[in-house]
């Protein structure tokens, strides 16, 4: 039998039970929590993008090879230099001038610019304390010695690979640059190796420690992996270069080679 609602009658909805009310409140709280979490994720992502893209690099005041007055992060145990010294560049497109020559001193049997000795000494000491001691292999190379190395490689390619002289010079420059076009002429880069014998330094515990901690002492890898189009050189895990703590940290953050970073701040 069909029931019809009489005119004027009200439809009375059944009130939810106590259990249903609790469920509704619980679902409401869950929706609010999810919404707040999503807002937090979006805000954090936006901050990271803003910090990476828009925060400008605070360029130090350029005073040629002078020590700045700002303290280092090592409680002033390490000197701090300006970019004129830290970011000195030597490559195929930037030949060192006589005025850019290093202030040489001998350290552990090799020659380096004396201004990087405190940082280099601190780095080697920290590596030894971490039970991954590093051995210095080479440092400064004079322009004359560098030219000899370059010409020797050119002659080898001509003799052993039958290259033309032009092709031999182009190929040789990928690993052995002419004088004043190699970073070893700055006196700010050194070649290190493990004290234990290893044919592949990049596979050692020493390299892994160095990769994690070199920036703490102002060093970066001079010829990092995947940057040949910028450096003109193959990956070299043994060659590290002093650029100062601030630049080293920023280069690591931006994943830049020295060439890229010089262009970035310049």
């Amino acid at each position: 039998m069909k029931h019809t609602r009489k005119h004027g009658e009200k439809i009375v909805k059944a009130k939810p039970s106590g259990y249903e009310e609790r469920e509704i409140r619980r679902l409401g709280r869950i929706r609010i929590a999810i919404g707040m979490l999503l807002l937090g994720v979006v805000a954090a992502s936006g901050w990271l993008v803003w910090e990476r893209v828009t925060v400008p690099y605070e360029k130090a005041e350029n005073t040629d090879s002078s020590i700045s007055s700002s303290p280092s992060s090592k409680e002033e145990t390490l000197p701090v230099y300006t970019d004129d010294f830290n970011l000195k560049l030597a490559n195929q497109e930037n030949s060192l001038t006589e005025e850019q020559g290093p202030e040489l001193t001998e350290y552990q049997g090799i020659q380096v610019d004396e201004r990087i000795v405190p940082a280099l000494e601190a780095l080697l000491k920290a590596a030894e304390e971490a039970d991954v001691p590093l051995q210095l292999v080479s440092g400064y190379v004079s322009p004359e010695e560098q030219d000899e190395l370059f010409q020797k490689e050119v002659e080898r390619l001509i003799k052993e690979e039958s290259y033309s002289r032009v092709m031999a010079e182009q190929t040789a420059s990928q690993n052995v640059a002419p004088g004043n076009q190699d970073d070893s002429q700055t006196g700010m880069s050194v070649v290190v190796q493990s004290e234990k014998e290893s044919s592949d330094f990049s596979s050692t515990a020493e390299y892994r420690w160095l990769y994690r901690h070199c920036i703490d002492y102002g060093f970066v890898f001079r010829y990092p992996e995947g940057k040949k189009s910028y450096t003109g050189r193959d990956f070299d895990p043994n060659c590290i270069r002093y650029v100062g703590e601030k630049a080293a940290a920023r280069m690591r953050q931006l994943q830049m080679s020295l060439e890229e970073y010089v262009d970035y701040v310049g």
Side-chain angles (χ1 to χ4, degrees):
M1 180 177 177
K2 186 175 179 183
H3 293 278
T4 58
R5 181 169 61 89
K6 294 180 180 181
H7 182 70
E9 276 188 340
K10 293 183 179 179
I11 298 177
V12 179
K13 295 182 180 179
K15 293 183 178 181
S17 66
Y19 172 77
E20 290 173 332
E21 288 181 344
R22 289 194 297 273
E23 282 297 298
I24 291 170
R25 288 196 296 270
R26 187 176 69 85
L27 291 173
R29 288 194 295 270
I30 291 173
R31 285 195 294 269
I32 292 172
I34 292 174
M36 293 179 67
L37 178 62
L38 290 174
L39 284 174
V41 170
V42 171
S45 300
W47 181 84
L48 288 173
V49 171
W50 175 84
E51 195 265 350
R52 184 183 179 92
V53 175
T54 65
V55 176
Y57 172 75
E58 297 176 5
K59 189 174 181 182
E61 181 182 354
N62 287 330
T63 307
D64 189 29
S65 297
S66 63
I67 299 177
S68 75
S69 58
S70 60
S72 76
S73 63
K74 295 288 183 299
E75 298 180 354
E76 299 187 331
T77 58
L78 298 181
V80 180
Y81 304 102
T82 63
D83 285 351
D84 284 346
F85 173 69
N86 291 341
L87 304 183
K88 189 186 303 182
L89 193 60
N91 56 26
Q92 290 178 317
E93 298 178 355
N94 298 274
S95 295
L96 288 181
T97 64
E98 187 175 345
E99 292 76 18
Q100 292 176 306
E103 298 175 12
L104 292 174
T105 189
E106 187 170 312
Y107 179 72
Q108 292 195 8
I110 66 170
Q111 285 191 310
V112 294
D113 192 300
E114 64 180 7
R115 288 164 287 188
I116 77 166
V117 170
L120 182 58
E121 188 172 35
L123 172 69
L124 296 178
K125 182 180 179 182
E128 187 171 359
E129 291 175 350
D131 199 27
V132 284
L134 297 168
Q135 181 179 1
L136 292 179
V137 178
S138 63
Y140 171 77
V141 177
S142 72
E144 295 74 24
E145 291 175 310
Q146 189 65 37
D147 268 329
E148 289 181 11
L149 293 172
F150 176 72
Q151 292 301 329
K152 187 179 292 186
E153 178 63 8
V154 169
E155 296 302 326
R156 186 192 71 79
L157 291 170
I158 292 173
K159 182 178 179 180
E160 297 181 8
E161 306 294 337
S162 300
Y163 284 8
S164 68
R165 179 162 293 276
V166 172
M167 189 172 182
E169 289 178 350
Q170 291 176 345
T171 304
S173 65
Q174 295 179 15
N175 292 298
V176 185
N180 282 324
Q181 294 183 13
D182 188 87
D183 203 71
S184 59
Q185 272 83 79
T186 66
M188 299 169 68
S189 62
V190 295
V191 174
V192 299
Q193 68 180 18
S194 169
E195 289 189 350
K196 305 169 187 176
E197 290 187 13
S198 175
S199 58
D200 182 12
F201 180 66
S202 64
S203 67
T204 65
E206 285 80 358
Y207 170 79
R208 291 190 292 273
W209 182 90
L210 188 63
Y211 182 86
R212 288 193 297 268
H213 298 287
C214 65
I215 62 172
D216 298 333
Y217 303 90
F219 287 89
V220 296
F221 288 94
R222 182 62 182 89
Y223 305 108
E225 194 169 10
K227 297 294 184 177
K228 184 176 180 179
S229 59
Y230 297 100
T231 65
R233 299 279 291 273
D234 294 326
F235 169 53
D236 186 348
N238 300 80
C239 186
I240 58 174
R241 155 69 191 255
Y242 180 81
V243 296
E245 293 173 63
K246 185 176 182 179
R250 194 70 170 136
M251 287 171 67
R252 176 66 58 82
Q253 180 187 30
L254 297 172
Q255 293 294 295
M256 286 183 173
S257 64
L258 181 57
E259 277 78 5
E260 291 175 283
Y261 189 68
V262 168
D263 183 59
Y264 171 74
V265 300

